[in-house]
Amino acid sequence: MQLENHQYTIQGVDALAIAEEFGLPLYVYDADKIIEKIGLLRSAFSGTPDRSVNLKIKYAAKALTNVSILKLMRQQGLDVEVVSVNEARLAQLAGFEPSQIMYTPSGNAWSEIQEALEMGVQLNADSLPLLEQIGQTYGSQYPIALRINPSIAEGGNFKIQTGHGDSKFGIPIDYRDQIKSIISQYGIPVVGLHIHTGSDFKDGNTFLKIADVLFDLAMDYPDLKFIDFGSGFKVRYREGDYATDLVDLGAKVSAAFRSFCERYGRELELCFEPGKLLVSESGHLLAGVNVVKENPTRTFVQVDSGLNHLIRPMMYDAYHDIKNLSNPNGAEKSYTVVGYICETDTFATDRQLPEVRTGDVLSFENAGAYGFSMASNYNARLRPAEVMVYEGKPYLIRQRETFEDLLRGQEIIEFEEELVKN
Ligand SMILES: *Cc1c(COP(=O)(O)O)cnc(C)c1O
């Protein structure tokens, strides 16, 4: 979002005009930002023409699962990474071939995994019991990838670290021999190795540590097609924030990968699965100001949204930049911005913002990833509409929910009489 002539614009479209047209609260995604991030990631790995690597980007759908977003990813030449069979179905609706869909369960029911396998997706197996089950059911028929837990504690918040030794994710690298023995017992074809160690690495070198684990393990499996480094890219939430240096990462990981391919004796695909990196910055949650409430100690701004729409501040202590779209040049003051949920529901504490008045429109920035996809109907609130700005035009890509959506599926018991009279 850019400030031009006192107004915030997305691809030249006034954000307030979008709010006016589609109503509030509203998620707005800038398709250009997504395309730009894909381009940055690709160019970081392009190397010199004769020394490039075979890069594949799989969009981690859980960050933002709207089908139009998935279609944009496919149009941009990406594959997709899903964690549930429903995400796989959404990806299929968006036009992805089953072979372009990698399915990474984490303790999912066997019945669900079988549904996904019947679709023909690439399975990324996350436990020894699952390997056994695959072997017993399919013998050597179904090629799989292995999700390994490298025992590396990296990444931001503990809730989003997945690669440390105590985490539930992946098959611990300590079980290397057990993995190999189940695989050879059934002759299960292993075509990929995968590690996803969580999000928000402080240090790009973490990918090199992951690389060491994967490259070493790869020597057990001669028929690999790809090595997948998962995600973990850190994005910038405010001025001065650390963000993963993609160029540095691309140079280091490509070099390590090329020399690995020489040792391995074949060119493999180098995969990443970014979610946040691709969609975080593209998304804005626009919300109207209901009340500006003075307390003796602070001034609260109460908006017509809350943790039901954007849970990241409460769940991860995440920082989201806030813009006052309708008064960008107001005198700065300190505000605590809160939602309307009956529960502590704070977006930002003691934040300097241009003067906020009732009826102003605020934008919560970096709201594309884990915003709408984690939204709920808590407090019987409706989920917002979603709009994508594509080639300078805003498109409604999901309608705002209605009261009927809250009732859908409820079977209402008709009691014959009041059982207890007061
Ligand atoms: C969530 C997830 C990702 C994406 O993580 P981001 O931090 O959003 O980039 C990638 N791979 C797997 C297996 C995941 O569960």
Side-chain angles (χ1 to χ4, degrees), residues 58 60 62-63 81-83 102 104 124 147 160 162 169 194 196 198-200 228 230-233 273-278 369-370:
K58 304 172 187 171
K62 75 175 190 282
E81 192 273 339
V82 303
V83 295
M102 178 148 105
T104 306
N124 189 18
R147 179 176 190 173
I160 53 176
T162 58
F169 297 99
H194 166 274
H196 168 68
S199 296
D200 288 5
D228 189 325
S231 184
F233 301 102
E273 302 166 346
K276 197 182 285 173
L277 173 73
L278 302 187
Y370 310 104

Side-chain angles (χ1 to χ4, degrees), residues 179-239:
I179 302 171
K180 203 174 165 186
S181 111
I182 299 172
I183 295 296
S184 55
Q185 180 190 345
Y186 296 101
I188 303 170
V190 175
V191 294
L193 297 182
H194 166 274
I195 287 180
H196 168 68
T197 33
S199 296
D200 288 5
F201 296 160
K202 288 283 178 301
D203 180 356
N205 288 324
T206 303
F207 284 107
L208 292 177
K209 292 191 211 161
I210 293 171
D212 283 342
V213 175
L214 288 171
F215 296 163
D216 186 38
L217 183 65
M219 295 306 172
D220 289 359
Y221 301 100
D223 302 318
L224 294 177
K225 297 197 171 104
F226 66 88
I227 304 253
D228 189 325
F229 288 78
S231 184
F233 301 102
K234 169 91 179 71
V235 306
R236 187 173 281 121
Y237 291 100
R238 54 176 139 181
E239 266 332 285

Side-chain angles (χ1 to χ4, degrees), residues 56-76:
K56 175 164 282 177
I57 306 172
K58 304 172 187 171
Y59 168 57
K62 75 175 190 282
L64 175 58
T65 32
N66 187 293
V67 175
S68 298
I69 296 286
L70 295 174
K71 282 182 91 162
L72 178 72
M73 298 298 180
R74 194 182 69 87
Q75 182 227 39
Q76 294 297 313

Side-chain angles (χ1 to χ4, degrees), residues 33-46 57 76 78 246 278:
K33 262 285 171 249
I34 295 174
I35 296 167
E36 175 195 318
K37 299 292 175 188
I38 295 170
L40 288 175
L41 188 53
R42 282 205 175 115
S43 73
F45 285 84
S46 60
I57 306 172
Q76 294 297 313
L78 269 53
L246 294 180
L278 302 187

